[in-house]
Amino acid sequence: QVQFEESGGGSVQSGGSLRLSCAAPGHKSTRKCMGWFRQVAGKEREGVAVIYLASNTTYYADFVKGRFTISQDIAKNTDTVYLQMNSLKPEDTAMYTCASGAWCRTSDGILRKEYLDRGQGTQVTVSS
């Protein structure tokens, strides 16, 4: 299993910003896209944003559109994605996890929530 390096989580007040980063070592042939999902204990996991690495095409969940931006930085031996989160709300509080796969979004527009290759997660807490 790929070991991701995630960072950037923390605590912020409502309206604030955080930037998450995720580095995935190597360039796996099956790594066509990377994304972030989030989960609160006891609640359903939610896909947040994904980016297809070759085309740089991005997709977002409706609840983060206009506030979050996913981007990538492809270095020689590492694929890195960032999630810039602005105008944070208390309901954005969750464990955010980075992941990668051969697909990250269904043809119906549903962001993938289950991945084989994923990180440990980084906690984001937004206070009101």
Side-chain angles (χ1 to χ4, degrees), residues 5 22-27 31 34 73-81:
E5 292 185 18
C22 170
H27 297 297
R31 186 184 300 147
M34 296 181 69
D73 180 12
I74 300 178
K76 184 176 182 180
N77 294 310
T78 304
D79 293 328
T80 301
V81 293

Side-chain angles (χ1 to χ4, degrees), residues 9-27:
S11 297
V12 66
Q13 289 191 326
S14 181
S17 299
L18 285 172
R19 188 189 194 209
L20 307 182
S21 67
C22 170
H27 297 297

Side-chain angles (χ1 to χ4, degrees), residues 109-127:
I110 306 300
L111 300 185
R112 186 176 178 181
K113 296 178 287 187
E114 300 290 340
Y115 292 84
L116 179 63
D117 292 335
R118 60 185 187 183
Q120 296 297 312
T122 183
Q123 179 67 35
V124 170
T125 302
V126 185
S127 58

Side-chain angles (χ1 to χ4, degrees), residues 11-124:
S11 297
V12 66
Q13 289 191 326
S14 181
S17 299
L18 285 172
R19 188 189 194 209
L20 307 182
S21 67
C22 170
H27 297 297
K28 292 180 60 176
S29 61
T30 55
R31 186 184 300 147
K32 304 300 183 186
C33 55
M34 296 181 69
W36 294 88
F37 61 86
R38 70 186 189 185
Q39 190 164 21
V40 176
K43 294 189 176 181
E44 185 178 349
R45 182 177 294 177
E46 301 177 307
V48 175
V50 304
I51 184 167
Y52 279 80
L53 302 179
S55 65
N56 207 37
T57 303
T58 59
Y59 299 97
Y60 298 92
D62 287 343
F63 52 80
V64 303
K65 281 181 180 177
R67 300 189 298 124
F68 291 13
T69 302
I70 188 170
S71 61
Q72 65 173 314
D73 180 12
I74 300 178
K76 184 176 182 180
N77 294 310
T78 304
D79 293 328
T80 301
V81 293
Y82 303 97
L83 187 67
Q84 178 67 43
M85 304 186 295
N86 298 328
S87 302
L88 283 162
K89 306 174 182 180
E91 51 264 43
D92 292 319
T93 295
M95 180 70 76
Y96 285 72
T97 303
C98 173
S100 71
W103 65 274
C104 297
R105 176 181 179 265
T106 70
S107 58
D108 294 335
I110 306 300
L111 300 185
R112 186 176 178 181
K113 296 178 287 187
E114 300 290 340
Y115 292 84
L116 179 63
D117 292 335
R118 60 185 187 183
Q120 296 297 312
T122 183
Q123 179 67 35
V124 170

